[in-house]
Amino acid sequence: WIEFLAKDPATRSNTSVCLVLPQLDKAQVKELQKMLEREKVALDIGSYRDAPPGLRIWCGATVDAEDLEILTEWLEYAHNLVKSSSSKS
C-alpha cells in the first residue's frame, strides 16, 4: 500500500524519505495529507510539486524514532480510511 518513490535503494535518502501510495489517486493522496494536517499529525508532508503524488517525510537527526513509529500507524489508518471512503462512493 506504500512504496519508496526511488526504486533503487542506492538513491533513497535517509533523511528526506519520499513515498508513494499506488492504491490511491492524486485526489485521495491530497485528502490523506489534509487529514494528517487537520489531526495535527503532520504538516507539509506532501511530495514536491514536480514529483508524483505522495508523501515527503523528514527523518533527520531532529526526529525521534518513536514519532516516526506513531506517524507510520497514522499513515496506515489514514490510507485505509481514505481508500474505504472512496470505495463507498
Side-chain angles (χ1 to χ4, degrees), residues 43-58:
L43 301 174
D44 193 28
I45 195 171
S47 58
Y48 291 112
R49 182 179 12 185
D50 296 336
L55 306 172
R56 179 178 40 90
I57 303 169
W58 178 251

Side-chain angles (χ1 to χ4, degrees), residues 5-88:
L5 174 61
K7 300 298 180 203
D8 180 358
T11 63
R12 292 181 191 153
S13 172
N14 291 330
T15 54
S16 182
V17 177
C18 297
L19 304 167
V20 292
L21 304 155
Q23 298 174 355
L24 303 182
D25 63 29
K26 185 176 183 176
Q28 291 171 313
V29 172
K30 193 72 167 169
E31 184 180 340
L32 182 143
Q33 293 166 358
K34 287 180 181 178
M35 180 189 308
L36 295 174
E37 187 165 333
R38 188 174 52 248
E39 297 295 330
K40 299 186 182 350
V41 174
L43 301 174
D44 193 28
I45 195 171
S47 58
Y48 291 112
R49 182 179 12 185
D50 296 336
L55 306 172
R56 179 178 40 90
I57 303 169
W58 178 251
C59 297
T62 58
V63 178
D64 291 330
E66 182 180 346
D67 290 338
L68 292 173
E69 291 171 12
I70 293 167
L71 174 62
T72 303
E73 293 172 10
W74 267 99
L75 292 177
E76 186 174 10
Y77 169 76
H79 173 271
N80 292 337
L81 195 63
V82 167
K83 188 175 176 195
S84 69
S85 69
S86 67
S87 66
K88 294 177 185 176

